[in-house]
C-alpha cells in the first residue's frame, strides 16, 4: 500500500474527525458525522497498523480516535472506582512484580556499603584519606546529628521528600540508559558506607544506626524499588521477547509510571519519619520500631494485595483500550 497516497486521500476526513472531537458542543448532525468518521478512521487505522504499526501516522490517528471515543462513550468509570483500582490492584501489582529485583538492588547496596564501612572503620590510612582527624570528630559529634534537627521538622521533612523523590525519579526515568541505576546504587551505598566507617572508627556505630535506621529502612527500600523499575525498562529494551522493542518499552514505561506515583506516597511517609521521628527524644528502640513498622506495612500491602493481583494478570499498565491497542466498536 502506498502510504503517501492513502494519507492524501483521507487526510481531510481525519482532520474533520479531529476538529469534531475537539469541538465544545456538537449539533445532532455533527454527532452523526463524528460517529461515521470514527468508524471509517478505525478501519483506516487497522489497515495502517498492518503495514506500519509503529509509524507516526498510526500514533496520531490512535490519539484522535481516543479523543473522539470519549465524546460519545463518556467516562469509563467514576473517580472513586479508579482510585480504588489504582491502590488495591494496579499499584500493589506493579510493586509486587519488582520484588526480587528490589531485593537484589538492596543486597548490592548492603554489600557495597558494608565493604566501605569495614575498610574505613578498620584502616587508619583509609580514614585519613576521607577526612582529617578534626573533620571526622566534628562529623561524628556535631554535623551528622545536627543535620536532622537544625531545621524545623516540617520543612526538613518536605526537603527530604523532595530530594528522595528526585533521586527515585532519575532512577526510573534514566534507567533505560543501563548505567544510571548502577551509578545511583553505588554512589548512595558509598556515601552510607563511608559515614558508617567514620562512626565505626570512632567507636560510635550505635549512634550512627540509631539515626539512620528509623527512616532509612523505608527510604532506602524506596530507592531500591526505583532502581528496580529503571532496570526493568532497560531490560525491556535489551530483551523485548516476542513484542516489538518499542511496544515492550512503552508497556514497561506505563507500568512503572504507576510505581513512580506510588513512590511519591512511600517517600512522603519516610520523609515524615525522618523529619519527626529520627531527631525526636524517643528511645532508640521506639524510633527504630516505628521505622520497622513502616517497612513491614509496605511489604504487607505489597504481598497482601499485590501478589493476588499479579497472579490474576495485572501489571500496573493501562487497560488495552486506554493504551491504544484496541478500539471500541461504535
Amino acid at each position: 500500500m502506498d502510504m503517501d497516497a492513502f494519507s492524501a486521500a483521507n487526510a481531510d476526513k481525519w482532520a474533520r474527525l479531529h476538529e469534531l472531537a475537539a469541538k465544545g458542543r456538537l449539533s445532532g448532525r455533527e454527532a452523526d458525522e463524528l460517529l461515521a468518521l470514527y468508524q471509517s478512521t478505525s478501519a483506516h487505522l487497522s489497515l495502517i497498523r498492518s503495514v506500519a504499526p509503529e509509524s507516526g501516522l498510526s500514533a496520531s490517528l490512535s490519539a484522535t480516535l481516543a479523543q473522539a471515543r470519549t465524546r460519545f462513550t463518556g467516562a469509563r468509570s467514576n473517580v472513586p472506582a479508579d482510585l480504588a483500582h489504582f491502590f488495591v490492584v494496579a499499584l500493589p501489582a506493579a510493586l509486587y512484580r519488582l520484588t526480587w529485583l528490589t531485593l537484589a538492588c538492596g543486597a548490592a547496596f548492603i554489600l557495597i556499603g558494608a565493604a566501605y564501612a569495614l575498610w574505613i572503620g578498620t584502616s587508619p590510612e583509609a580514614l585519613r584519606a576521607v577526612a582529617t582527624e578534626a573533620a571526622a570528630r566534628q562529623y561524628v559529634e556535631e554535623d551528622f546529628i545536627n543535620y536532622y534537627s537544625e531545621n524545623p521538622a516540617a520543612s526538613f521533612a518536605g526537603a527530604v521528600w523532595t530530594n528522595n523523590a528526585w533521586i527515585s525519579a532519575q532512577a526510573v526515568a534514566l534507567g533505560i540508559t543501563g548505567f544510571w541505576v548502577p551509578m545511583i546504587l553505588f554512589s548512595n551505598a558509598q556515601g552510607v558506607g563511608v559515614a558508617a566507617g567514620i562512626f565505626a572508627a570512632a567507636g560510635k556505630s550505635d549512634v550512627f544506626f540509631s539515626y539512620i535506621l528509623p527512616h532509612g529502612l523505608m527510604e532506602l527500600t524506596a530507592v531500591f524499588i526505583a532502581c528496580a523499575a529503571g532496570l526493568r525498562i532497560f531490560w525491556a529494551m535489551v530483551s523485548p521477547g516476542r513484542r516489538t522493542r518499542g511496544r515492550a518499552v512503552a508497556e514497561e514505561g506505563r507500568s512503572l509510571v504507576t510505581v513512580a506515583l506510588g513512590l511519591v506516597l512511600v517517600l512522603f511517609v519516610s520523609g515524615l519519619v525522618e523529619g519527626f521521628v529520627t531527631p525526636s527524644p524517643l528511645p532508640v528502640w521506639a524510633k527504630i520500631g516505628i521505622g520497622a513498622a513502616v517497612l513491614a506495612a509496605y511489604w504487607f500491602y505489597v504481598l497482601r494485595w499485590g501478589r493476588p493481583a499479579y497472579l490474576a494478570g495485572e501489571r500496573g499498565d493501562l487497560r488495552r483500550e486506554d493504551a491504544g491497542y484496541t478500539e471500541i466498536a461504535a
Side-chain angles (χ1 to χ4, degrees):
M1 182 178 71
D2 187 332
M3 291 293 294
D4 292 335
F6 186 75
S7 298
N10 295 285
D12 290 342
K13 295 179 181 179
W14 301 337
R16 178 59 175 166
L17 176 63
H18 180 75
E19 178 186 348
L20 292 173
K23 193 171 181 180
R25 294 178 64 88
L26 298 175
S27 66
R29 179 176 297 179
E30 287 174 332
D32 291 339
E33 183 183 6
L34 174 68
L35 184 57
L37 288 172
Y38 177 87
Q39 292 174 316
S40 62
T41 304
S42 294
H44 295 162
L45 179 59
S46 297
L47 183 59
I48 291 170
R49 280 180 171 169
S50 68
V51 178
E54 296 183 31
S55 65
L57 178 59
S58 174
S60 176
L61 287 182
S62 180
T64 299
L65 285 168
Q67 184 181 17
R69 184 169 62 244
T70 61
R71 296 305 306 273
F72 56 80
T73 62
R76 172 181 52 78
S77 59
N78 57 42
V79 173
D82 285 340
L83 288 176
H85 179 269
F86 178 81
F87 285 108
V88 179
V89 179
L91 177 58
L95 293 171
Y96 178 81
R97 71 194 293 258
L98 296 175
T99 295
W100 291 110
L101 199 50
T102 297
L103 295 176
C105 289
F109 181 96
I110 291 172
L111 289 175
I112 295 170
Y116 269 97
L118 182 63
W119 178 42
I120 293 173
T122 59
S123 171
E125 294 80 8
L127 179 61
R128 285 194 296 271
V130 172
T132 64
E133 182 178 349
R137 186 183 307 111
Q138 180 174 342
Y139 180 74
V140 170
E141 296 178 357
E142 298 181 24
D143 295 349
F144 182 83
I145 296 173
N146 291 342
Y147 167 76
Y148 295 100
S149 57
E150 59 187 3
N151 294 305
S155 61
F156 178 62
V160 167
W161 179 30
T162 303
N163 179 67
N164 291 330
W166 172 239
I167 294 174
S168 298
Q170 290 181 68
V172 175
L174 300 177
I176 196 170
T177 62
F179 71 86
W180 199 263
V181 166
M183 185 183 72
I184 288 177
L185 276 175
F186 182 83
S187 62
N188 280 273
Q190 182 185 48
V192 172
V194 168
I198 294 174
F199 272 84
K204 294 186 176 181
S205 293
D206 57 330
V207 176
F208 173 79
F209 287 110
S210 72
Y211 276 87
I212 204 72
L213 287 180
H215 64 275
L217 289 171
M218 189 68 255
E219 180 179 281
L220 290 174
T221 299
V223 173
F224 304 153
I225 296 166
C227 289
L231 291 175
R232 284 296 301 240
I233 297 178
F234 171 69
W235 190 247
M237 183 182 67
V238 173
S239 179
R242 295 183 178 181
R243 301 170 294 180
T244 64
R245 184 165 280 102
R247 179 165 180 170
V249 171
E251 289 178 352
E252 288 295 337
R254 289 192 304 268
S255 175
L256 298 177
V257 164
T258 300
V259 173
L261 293 174
L263 286 179
V264 171
L265 301 177
V266 171
L267 289 169
F268 175 72
V269 174
S270 68
L272 291 178
V273 174
E274 187 167 359
F276 291 92
V277 176
T278 297
S280 74
L282 289 171
V284 172
W285 64 265
K287 293 193 287 187
I288 295 178
I290 291 172
V294 171
L295 181 63
Y298 166 80
W299 283 114
F300 176 80
Y301 170 73
V302 170
L303 297 176
R304 170 62 180 83
W305 285 282
R307 186 173 185 273
Y310 179 82
L311 294 178
E314 178 67 42
R315 297 295 181 267
D317 194 2
L318 296 174
R319 290 176 170 84
R320 290 182 61 83
E321 61 270 19
D322 293 332
Y325 293 135
T326 61
E327 300 297 338
I328 298 175

